Every structure is written in structure tokens, then in C-alpha cells.
Amino acid sequence: MSNSRIEESVVDMAVDETGFGKFSIKITIICLLIYLNASLSIVSTGYMLPASSCDFKMTLFDKGLLLTSFLIGSCFSPVICGFLFNYKGRKWTLLLTLFFQGTADFLIPIFPNYWILMILKFFSGFGGAGQLFIFTYMGECLPSKQRDILMSLMELFWIIGDALACSLGMGILPLNIDIRINSYFFRSWSLYILICSTLAISLGCWLLFLPETPKYLAEIGSREECLFVLKDMYKQNTGKSGKEYLEKLMNSGKIPLMELVNNSYKSFPEKIEKPLIGEQIILQLREIKKILKPPFLKNTFLACLIGFSINFSYDAFYIWFPEIFQRFSEFQSKNTSANLKFCSISNDFINAGEQLENDTFECNSPIDTQVFMTNLLLCASCAPAVFPLLLLVNRFGFRTLLIIHCSLCSVLILALYFVNSSLHILIILCIYVPLISTSVTMSNALFVHIFPTTHRSSGVALTSMACRIGAIFGNMAFTYLIDSRCFIYIILITLQLVVGAISTLLIRERKDT
């Protein structure tokens, strides 16, 4: 080690030597809760749309526009947060995203105006998507032996975030709250969003007391600080002193670890200095340019294709479930004897001239309790899917499991068009939602594995951006196709899942991460 930078493999070995204990559990818990918060932010937006449609006089197009603003914010987030991850650090960037999202959501009930709401949802989407970088923070703080299993737990907490959003909605949204002062109003959905926003701010305050990752400190050449964090991790994990950790490294028989200790307190003339912002932007663009050339080009292209297709399929349904289930409820209340097909609710809304004329903004259609119960059932169906993932991930890896999940999801979506009862639709969705949800989590974890640490931030930023673009197009597909071309909507999602499966089959996973 001739200079101040520490090789990534050395940091990995040093982190493994810290063991697994109190610190690892603490890091795991906050990372899981941040992922839960990202889910809560997205799903609560889905419940807010039908609940606030009358107050803001929103048609389906207006709802889609508002949701698109949220997703566009999340589209900008990967590039900006990816840059900040390298320039300011993992912890600082996560703090920014948590406070950004929490504050934006907190301000929504204070400024109840459609256009202000759209701006705030843009910033909320920016913060929420930036929190998905939690995979990198978590991966760089945990020993390699437990890393994949604990990262697989992310999916369970995404489901819990969904269930929490649904449970809070079921308890708060039906409340008859109507406070009006001149043009200002405060409704039950205002209280709902206000409560949901507090989790992000609370987690941001907690994260203030946690350290930066050793890998980032190693990248910027902060040897002493890196070793200090490693010693603290060891003390919390084992209850032993930092001095014993240094002795453990010195007696490990591994020369790189011994050099890490010996060289950490030396002064290096070529110690890395943080470049100016302009220089860092140029460096970041160069890093992105590198992963767009061989030998990374194929993996980068396929990863972006996977991220786009899976998130297209996910967001074409997931955020809109409250709207879909509300339509199911209204269709069944008017057509008790008719068979329910997935696309029949779209045709019914197109032809229900009387309803559209009398209740354009759904002022007389409060969210049915059954909508919440159905969504909770979907959440419950997701929970068991996490445990096979935990058991199989070490044996088969994220790549193989992702291929299987995408293939099954494509078959289920196609079947959704042909079934003709509410029970069959619900059964298919109870199988599809766990599979597509775990697919999103596995794809995020896979992206961490396919790029080396030196290019990981750029790779994850680019693939995350592709994911958010896919989410935008998935949202647009629902908005523009569900009421007029439902079959094309189904076929489009099916094709995206097939593309996701084929792309995952072709991608090459690195073996040394």
C-alpha cells in the first residue's frame, strides 16, 4: 500500500474481522426501517390519490400527473444521490434524502394546493428514491457471511411498510375531519400524510449518530478514521476493546490487514484531497463513461433493462392498487350478478356516463373498507415469500431466483386477463404481488453485486435511474391505457417481464463481491 487509499478487498476482510453483533444488528435495523419508510412513502401516495381527489378536483389524468411528478423526482434522485454518495459520503446522502422526503411530505397538509402538492411530491419522490441507496450503506457495513441473508430481509420490511400504510389509512382516512379556514383545509388524508412523514424525520435523527461506512472512508484515504470506525464496530459487536481488534488483525497472518494497522497512523505525502465540486462532477461523468464501455457495457445495459422492465411492471400496478380495488368495489356494488373480469371495471367506468356526470371527482365515493382489507391480504400473502428467498439466496443467488420470479410473473399477468371472477383475480394477485415485490428487492441487491466497488456508485446510480424511468412509464401505462386499451396494458406488462427474465439470464454476476 504505497498511498493513503486502502484496497476494497482489504476493507472487506477488515469488516469480516469485526464479527457480527450489536453494531451489525443496529445497522441492519435502521437500514430495514429506512427501506420500510421508502415503501411507506410510495404506498401512502397511492392512498392519498383517491382520498384527496374531491378536495383537489382530480380526474384520473390529474392523479396520473401528480404521480408522474413524484416519479420524475425519483428519476433525478439516482444521478444526484449517486454523485453525492461519492462526494459527501453514504451517511450524509442518506440523511439528505430522509430529511428531504420527510419535510416535503410534512408540508403537504400545510399547503393544500394542487400545484404546490405536485412540487412537494417531486421532492418527496426525490428523497424516497434516494433512500434505495440503503443497500450500498448496509452492504458496506456488514460482514460478507451475513450480508446476502440480511439484505434479503429488506423485502419483508417493504411489505411491512405497505401494511403500515394500509393500516394507518384504514384507521385515519374514514375519519370525518373537515377543518376549513378561508382557502385552507385539513382533512383526514392530511392527518394521514402528516403521520406518515414523521418516520423519515425520526430515522434521519437516528442516522446522525451512526458512522460513515469503512469502504467510503477507505476510498477517500481517511485511514485513521476508517480504522477508528472498524475498532468501534468490533467493540460493539464483541464487547472487547479496540486494542484487541488491532491485535487480532496483526495476528491474523494476512499481510494486507497487518499493513492496514501499521500504515494507518503514518503520514502520506500523496494523501487524497477531496476535489472541487466541478472536478468531482467531471470524475463522476468519467466513471459513468467507464461503465458504458467494455468490459462493463454489457452488464450495464442489461442491468438498466432489468431495472426498467421490472419497475415498469411493478409500478403499473402497485401504486394504483387503491384505485383498482376502489373500482372493483364500485363495480360489484352495481353489478352484483355479473362476472368480474379485470378489464370489465375499465369498460364499466367508460360507459358509466351517469356516474361520471354526477361524481366526476369521486366526492360521493369514499374509500371502501374492503379496499384496505384486500390490500392487507396482499401484504399478508407477501410475507411467506420472504422466507424461501432467505433459504435459497445463498444456494442459487439473486440472479437465478430473479429469472424464475420474472418468468412466473409474466404468466400470472397474462392469466389475469382471462379469469372471470373476483376470487380468481384476488388469488392471482396474491401470487403475483409477492413475486414482483421480491423481484424489485432482488434486482436492487443484484446491481450491488455486478459492479466492482470502484464503479459501484456509478453503476447503481445509472441502474436506479433506469428503474425510476421504468416506474414513470408504468404509471403512464395505467393512466392512459386502463380505461380504453386494457388488453394492451396487460400485454405490455407481460412483455416487460419476459424482457426482464431474458436480460437477467444474460447478465454476468461478479464472483469476488
Side-chain angles (χ1 to χ4, degrees), residues 120-145:
L120 290 174
K121 270 300 169 188
F122 173 88
F123 289 117
S124 175
F126 174 88
Q131 291 163 37
L132 298 181
F133 279 91
I134 195 63
F135 280 88
T136 303
Y137 183 82
M138 186 178 184
E140 293 182 358
C141 288
L142 293 177
S144 56
K145 187 176 180 180

PDB file of all heavy atoms in Angstrom, residues 120-145:
ATOM      1  N   LEU A 120     -44.168  19.508  -4.091  1.00  0.00           N
ATOM      2  CA  LEU A 120     -43.732  18.804  -2.884  1.00  0.00           C
ATOM      3  C   LEU A 120     -43.598  17.303  -3.141  1.00  0.00           C
ATOM      4  O   LEU A 120     -42.687  16.654  -2.606  1.00  0.00           O
ATOM      5  CB  LEU A 120     -44.721  19.062  -1.744  1.00  0.00           C
ATOM      6  CG  LEU A 120     -44.722  20.484  -1.177  1.00  0.00           C
ATOM      7  CD1 LEU A 120     -45.845  20.656  -0.152  1.00  0.00           C
ATOM      8  CD2 LEU A 120     -43.374  20.817  -0.538  1.00  0.00           C
ATOM      9  N   LYS A 121     -44.484  16.749  -3.961  1.00  0.00           N
ATOM     10  CA  LYS A 121     -44.386  15.327  -4.289  1.00  0.00           C
ATOM     11  C   LYS A 121     -43.158  15.037  -5.157  1.00  0.00           C
ATOM     12  O   LYS A 121     -42.598  13.948  -5.106  1.00  0.00           O
ATOM     13  CB  LYS A 121     -45.672  14.848  -4.995  1.00  0.00           C
ATOM     14  CG  LYS A 121     -46.721  14.347  -4.028  1.00  0.00           C
ATOM     15  CD  LYS A 121     -46.192  13.170  -3.231  1.00  0.00           C
ATOM     16  CE  LYS A 121     -47.029  12.763  -2.080  1.00  0.00           C
ATOM     17  NZ  LYS A 121     -46.382  11.744  -1.235  1.00  0.00           N
ATOM     18  N   PHE A 122     -42.739  16.025  -5.944  1.00  0.00           N
ATOM     19  CA  PHE A 122     -41.494  15.886  -6.705  1.00  0.00           C
ATOM     20  C   PHE A 122     -40.318  15.702  -5.742  1.00  0.00           C
ATOM     21  O   PHE A 122     -39.498  14.793  -5.903  1.00  0.00           O
ATOM     22  CB  PHE A 122     -41.286  17.123  -7.582  1.00  0.00           C
ATOM     23  CG  PHE A 122     -39.952  17.169  -8.273  1.00  0.00           C
ATOM     24  CD1 PHE A 122     -39.790  16.576  -9.515  1.00  0.00           C
ATOM     25  CD2 PHE A 122     -38.861  17.802  -7.685  1.00  0.00           C
ATOM     26  CE1 PHE A 122     -38.548  16.604 -10.157  1.00  0.00           C
ATOM     27  CE2 PHE A 122     -37.626  17.837  -8.317  1.00  0.00           C
ATOM     28  CZ  PHE A 122     -37.472  17.239  -9.559  1.00  0.00           C
ATOM     29  N   PHE A 123     -40.247  16.570  -4.718  1.00  0.00           N
ATOM     30  CA  PHE A 123     -39.160  16.477  -3.743  1.00  0.00           C
ATOM     31  C   PHE A 123     -39.292  15.226  -2.872  1.00  0.00           C
ATOM     32  O   PHE A 123     -38.292  14.622  -2.482  1.00  0.00           O
ATOM     33  CB  PHE A 123     -39.124  17.731  -2.872  1.00  0.00           C
ATOM     34  CG  PHE A 123     -38.660  18.959  -3.604  1.00  0.00           C
ATOM     35  CD1 PHE A 123     -39.500  20.042  -3.768  1.00  0.00           C
ATOM     36  CD2 PHE A 123     -37.385  19.020  -4.140  1.00  0.00           C
ATOM     37  CE1 PHE A 123     -39.067  21.175  -4.438  1.00  0.00           C
ATOM     38  CE2 PHE A 123     -36.945  20.149  -4.818  1.00  0.00           C
ATOM     39  CZ  PHE A 123     -37.794  21.237  -4.973  1.00  0.00           C
ATOM     40  N   SER A 124     -40.526  14.843  -2.580  1.00  0.00           N
ATOM     41  CA  SER A 124     -40.753  13.615  -1.816  1.00  0.00           C
ATOM     42  C   SER A 124     -40.272  12.399  -2.598  1.00  0.00           C
ATOM     43  O   SER A 124     -39.635  11.492  -2.049  1.00  0.00           O
ATOM     44  CB  SER A 124     -42.244  13.468  -1.487  1.00  0.00           C
ATOM     45  OG  SER A 124     -42.505  12.242  -0.852  1.00  0.00           O
ATOM     46  N   GLY A 125     -40.559  12.385  -3.894  1.00  0.00           N
ATOM     47  CA  GLY A 125     -40.087  11.297  -4.752  1.00  0.00           C
ATOM     48  C   GLY A 125     -38.580  11.273  -4.859  1.00  0.00           C
ATOM     49  O   GLY A 125     -37.956  10.203  -4.865  1.00  0.00           O
ATOM     50  N   PHE A 126     -37.974  12.465  -4.905  1.00  0.00           N
ATOM     51  CA  PHE A 126     -36.513  12.555  -4.938  1.00  0.00           C
ATOM     52  C   PHE A 126     -35.901  11.918  -3.693  1.00  0.00           C
ATOM     53  O   PHE A 126     -34.985  11.106  -3.769  1.00  0.00           O
ATOM     54  CB  PHE A 126     -36.102  14.028  -5.044  1.00  0.00           C
ATOM     55  CG  PHE A 126     -34.618  14.252  -4.940  1.00  0.00           C
ATOM     56  CD1 PHE A 126     -33.821  14.202  -6.072  1.00  0.00           C
ATOM     57  CD2 PHE A 126     -34.018  14.505  -3.717  1.00  0.00           C
ATOM     58  CE1 PHE A 126     -32.451  14.409  -5.992  1.00  0.00           C
ATOM     59  CE2 PHE A 126     -32.655  14.716  -3.617  1.00  0.00           C
ATOM     60  CZ  PHE A 126     -31.867  14.659  -4.760  1.00  0.00           C
ATOM     61  N   GLY A 127     -36.442  12.285  -2.523  1.00  0.00           N
ATOM     62  CA  GLY A 127     -35.920  11.748  -1.271  1.00  0.00           C
ATOM     63  C   GLY A 127     -36.184  10.269  -1.103  1.00  0.00           C
ATOM     64  O   GLY A 127     -35.320   9.510  -0.663  1.00  0.00           O
ATOM     65  N   GLY A 128     -37.386   9.837  -1.466  1.00  0.00           N
ATOM     66  CA  GLY A 128     -37.748   8.426  -1.313  1.00  0.00           C
ATOM     67  C   GLY A 128     -36.893   7.510  -2.162  1.00  0.00           C
ATOM     68  O   GLY A 128     -36.437   6.451  -1.708  1.00  0.00           O
ATOM     69  N   ALA A 129     -36.634   7.907  -3.418  1.00  0.00           N
ATOM     70  CA  ALA A 129     -35.816   7.075  -4.305  1.00  0.00           C
ATOM     71  C   ALA A 129     -34.362   7.051  -3.850  1.00  0.00           C
ATOM     72  O   ALA A 129     -33.682   6.033  -3.964  1.00  0.00           O
ATOM     73  CB  ALA A 129     -35.900   7.590  -5.740  1.00  0.00           C
ATOM     74  N   GLY A 130     -33.885   8.176  -3.306  1.00  0.00           N
ATOM     75  CA  GLY A 130     -32.513   8.222  -2.810  1.00  0.00           C
ATOM     76  C   GLY A 130     -32.277   7.258  -1.665  1.00  0.00           C
ATOM     77  O   GLY A 130     -31.154   6.775  -1.459  1.00  0.00           O
ATOM     78  N   GLN A 131     -33.336   6.949  -0.927  1.00  0.00           N
ATOM     79  CA  GLN A 131     -33.213   6.028   0.201  1.00  0.00           C
ATOM     80  C   GLN A 131     -32.945   4.593  -0.244  1.00  0.00           C
ATOM     81  O   GLN A 131     -32.530   3.749   0.566  1.00  0.00           O
ATOM     82  CB  GLN A 131     -34.472   6.089   1.061  1.00  0.00           C
ATOM     83  CG  GLN A 131     -34.634   7.399   1.809  1.00  0.00           C
ATOM     84  CD  GLN A 131     -36.030   7.627   2.331  1.00  0.00           C
ATOM     85  OE1 GLN A 131     -36.708   6.697   2.769  1.00  0.00           O
ATOM     86  NE2 GLN A 131     -36.496   8.873   2.299  1.00  0.00           N
ATOM     87  N   LEU A 132     -33.186   4.298  -1.522  1.00  0.00           N
ATOM     88  CA  LEU A 132     -32.919   2.954  -2.025  1.00  0.00           C
ATOM     89  C   LEU A 132     -31.417   2.663  -2.088  1.00  0.00           C
ATOM     90  O   LEU A 132     -31.008   1.513  -2.240  1.00  0.00           O
ATOM     91  CB  LEU A 132     -33.561   2.773  -3.411  1.00  0.00           C
ATOM     92  CG  LEU A 132     -35.091   2.912  -3.449  1.00  0.00           C
ATOM     93  CD1 LEU A 132     -35.607   2.679  -4.857  1.00  0.00           C
ATOM     94  CD2 LEU A 132     -35.770   1.967  -2.473  1.00  0.00           C
ATOM     95  N   PHE A 133     -30.588   3.709  -1.954  1.00  0.00           N
ATOM     96  CA  PHE A 133     -29.146   3.504  -1.853  1.00  0.00           C
ATOM     97  C   PHE A 133     -28.768   2.864  -0.520  1.00  0.00           C
ATOM     98  O   PHE A 133     -27.588   2.606  -0.271  1.00  0.00           O
ATOM     99  CB  PHE A 133     -28.405   4.842  -2.005  1.00  0.00           C
ATOM    100  CG  PHE A 133     -28.223   5.280  -3.427  1.00  0.00           C
ATOM    101  CD1 PHE A 133     -29.160   6.083  -4.046  1.00  0.00           C
ATOM    102  CD2 PHE A 133     -27.120   4.885  -4.152  1.00  0.00           C
ATOM    103  CE1 PHE A 133     -28.999   6.495  -5.355  1.00  0.00           C
ATOM    104  CE2 PHE A 133     -26.941   5.285  -5.463  1.00  0.00           C
ATOM    105  CZ  PHE A 133     -27.883   6.093  -6.078  1.00  0.00           C
ATOM    106  N   ILE A 134     -29.759   2.627   0.318  1.00  0.00           N
ATOM    107  CA  ILE A 134     -29.504   1.995   1.618  1.00  0.00           C
ATOM    108  C   ILE A 134     -28.868   0.614   1.434  1.00  0.00           C
ATOM    109  O   ILE A 134     -28.165   0.119   2.327  1.00  0.00           O
ATOM    110  CB  ILE A 134     -30.822   1.885   2.428  1.00  0.00           C
ATOM    111  CG1 ILE A 134     -30.527   1.584   3.895  1.00  0.00           C
ATOM    112  CG2 ILE A 134     -31.768   0.863   1.824  1.00  0.00           C
ATOM    113  CD1 ILE A 134     -29.767   2.657   4.598  1.00  0.00           C
ATOM    114  N   PHE A 135     -29.090  -0.022   0.280  1.00  0.00           N
ATOM    115  CA  PHE A 135     -28.453  -1.314   0.001  1.00  0.00           C
ATOM    116  C   PHE A 135     -26.932  -1.188   0.052  1.00  0.00           C
ATOM    117  O   PHE A 135     -26.240  -2.067   0.571  1.00  0.00           O
ATOM    118  CB  PHE A 135     -28.883  -1.835  -1.382  1.00  0.00           C
ATOM    119  CG  PHE A 135     -30.234  -2.483  -1.394  1.00  0.00           C
ATOM    120  CD1 PHE A 135     -31.375  -1.734  -1.602  1.00  0.00           C
ATOM    121  CD2 PHE A 135     -30.372  -3.843  -1.196  1.00  0.00           C
ATOM    122  CE1 PHE A 135     -32.625  -2.328  -1.616  1.00  0.00           C
ATOM    123  CE2 PHE A 135     -31.618  -4.454  -1.205  1.00  0.00           C
ATOM    124  CZ  PHE A 135     -32.750  -3.689  -1.415  1.00  0.00           C
ATOM    125  N   THR A 136     -26.415  -0.075  -0.500  1.00  0.00           N
ATOM    126  CA  THR A 136     -24.966   0.128  -0.502  1.00  0.00           C
ATOM    127  C   THR A 136     -24.453   0.369   0.912  1.00  0.00           C
ATOM    128  O   THR A 136     -23.437  -0.209   1.324  1.00  0.00           O
ATOM    129  CB  THR A 136     -24.606   1.322  -1.412  1.00  0.00           C
ATOM    130  OG1 THR A 136     -25.103   1.077  -2.727  1.00  0.00           O
ATOM    131  CG2 THR A 136     -23.102   1.510  -1.486  1.00  0.00           C
ATOM    132  N   TYR A 137     -25.128   1.226   1.657  1.00  0.00           N
ATOM    133  CA  TYR A 137     -24.716   1.520   3.037  1.00  0.00           C
ATOM    134  C   TYR A 137     -24.711   0.246   3.879  1.00  0.00           C
ATOM    135  O   TYR A 137     -23.751  -0.048   4.608  1.00  0.00           O
ATOM    136  CB  TYR A 137     -25.667   2.554   3.645  1.00  0.00           C
ATOM    137  CG  TYR A 137     -25.286   2.988   5.053  1.00  0.00           C
ATOM    138  CD1 TYR A 137     -24.328   3.961   5.274  1.00  0.00           C
ATOM    139  CD2 TYR A 137     -25.904   2.411   6.165  1.00  0.00           C
ATOM    140  CE1 TYR A 137     -23.976   4.363   6.552  1.00  0.00           C
ATOM    141  CE2 TYR A 137     -25.561   2.795   7.452  1.00  0.00           C
ATOM    142  CZ  TYR A 137     -24.602   3.778   7.637  1.00  0.00           C
ATOM    143  OH  TYR A 137     -24.257   4.161   8.909  1.00  0.00           O
ATOM    144  N   MET A 138     -25.781  -0.529   3.748  1.00  0.00           N
ATOM    145  CA  MET A 138     -25.901  -1.767   4.519  1.00  0.00           C
ATOM    146  C   MET A 138     -24.823  -2.775   4.113  1.00  0.00           C
ATOM    147  O   MET A 138     -24.171  -3.396   4.957  1.00  0.00           O
ATOM    148  CB  MET A 138     -27.289  -2.362   4.305  1.00  0.00           C
ATOM    149  CG  MET A 138     -27.601  -3.580   5.150  1.00  0.00           C
ATOM    150  SD  MET A 138     -29.298  -4.145   4.847  1.00  0.00           S
ATOM    151  CE  MET A 138     -29.436  -5.468   6.027  1.00  0.00           C
ATOM    152  N   GLY A 139     -24.615  -2.927   2.798  1.00  0.00           N
ATOM    153  CA  GLY A 139     -23.645  -3.899   2.305  1.00  0.00           C
ATOM    154  C   GLY A 139     -22.220  -3.583   2.725  1.00  0.00           C
ATOM    155  O   GLY A 139     -21.415  -4.493   2.924  1.00  0.00           O
ATOM    156  N   GLU A 140     -21.909  -2.283   2.879  1.00  0.00           N
ATOM    157  CA  GLU A 140     -20.550  -1.892   3.231  1.00  0.00           C
ATOM    158  C   GLU A 140     -20.294  -1.907   4.735  1.00  0.00           C
ATOM    159  O   GLU A 140     -19.152  -1.704   5.160  1.00  0.00           O
ATOM    160  CB  GLU A 140     -20.255  -0.502   2.658  1.00  0.00           C
ATOM    161  CG  GLU A 140     -20.204  -0.489   1.135  1.00  0.00           C
ATOM    162  CD  GLU A 140     -19.859   0.871   0.566  1.00  0.00           C
ATOM    163  OE1 GLU A 140     -19.700   1.832   1.363  1.00  0.00           O
ATOM    164  OE2 GLU A 140     -19.743   0.986  -0.665  1.00  0.00           O
ATOM    165  N   CYS A 141     -21.314  -2.150   5.531  1.00  0.00           N
ATOM    166  CA  CYS A 141     -21.151  -2.164   6.989  1.00  0.00           C
ATOM    167  C   CYS A 141     -21.285  -3.560   7.598  1.00  0.00           C
ATOM    168  O   CYS A 141     -21.085  -3.716   8.807  1.00  0.00           O
ATOM    169  CB  CYS A 141     -22.182  -1.238   7.645  1.00  0.00           C
ATOM    170  SG  CYS A 141     -21.849   0.516   7.405  1.00  0.00           S
ATOM    171  N   LEU A 142     -21.642  -4.544   6.785  1.00  0.00           N
ATOM    172  CA  LEU A 142     -21.903  -5.881   7.322  1.00  0.00           C
ATOM    173  C   LEU A 142     -20.859  -6.887   6.847  1.00  0.00           C
ATOM    174  O   LEU A 142     -20.347  -6.775   5.729  1.00  0.00           O
ATOM    175  CB  LEU A 142     -23.293  -6.362   6.897  1.00  0.00           C
ATOM    176  CG  LEU A 142     -24.487  -5.604   7.476  1.00  0.00           C
ATOM    177  CD1 LEU A 142     -25.781  -6.163   6.895  1.00  0.00           C
ATOM    178  CD2 LEU A 142     -24.511  -5.672   8.990  1.00  0.00           C
ATOM    179  N   PRO A 143     -20.553  -7.892   7.664  1.00  0.00           N
ATOM    180  CA  PRO A 143     -19.650  -8.973   7.242  1.00  0.00           C
ATOM    181  C   PRO A 143     -20.236  -9.724   6.050  1.00  0.00           C
ATOM    182  O   PRO A 143     -21.459  -9.870   5.931  1.00  0.00           O
ATOM    183  CB  PRO A 143     -19.575  -9.880   8.478  1.00  0.00           C
ATOM    184  CG  PRO A 143     -20.026  -9.038   9.620  1.00  0.00           C
ATOM    185  CD  PRO A 143     -20.994  -8.063   9.066  1.00  0.00           C
ATOM    186  N   SER A 144     -19.367 -10.194   5.160  1.00  0.00           N
ATOM    187  CA  SER A 144     -19.826 -10.836   3.926  1.00  0.00           C
ATOM    188  C   SER A 144     -20.660 -12.091   4.181  1.00  0.00           C
ATOM    189  O   SER A 144     -21.558 -12.418   3.406  1.00  0.00           O
ATOM    190  CB  SER A 144     -18.620 -11.194   3.050  1.00  0.00           C
ATOM    191  OG  SER A 144     -17.703 -12.010   3.769  1.00  0.00           O
ATOM    192  N   LYS A 145     -20.386 -12.780   5.285  1.00  0.00           N
ATOM    193  CA  LYS A 145     -21.084 -14.032   5.575  1.00  0.00           C
ATOM    194  C   LYS A 145     -22.576 -13.815   5.790  1.00  0.00           C
ATOM    195  O   LYS A 145     -23.412 -14.624   5.370  1.00  0.00           O
ATOM    196  CB  LYS A 145     -20.474 -14.696   6.804  1.00  0.00           C
ATOM    197  CG  LYS A 145     -21.020 -16.087   7.095  1.00  0.00           C
ATOM    198  CD  LYS A 145     -20.307 -16.723   8.281  1.00  0.00           C
ATOM    199  CE  LYS A 145     -20.839 -18.132   8.579  1.00  0.00           C
ATOM    200  NZ  LYS A 145     -20.151 -18.752   9.731  1.00  0.00           N
TER     201      LYS A 145
END
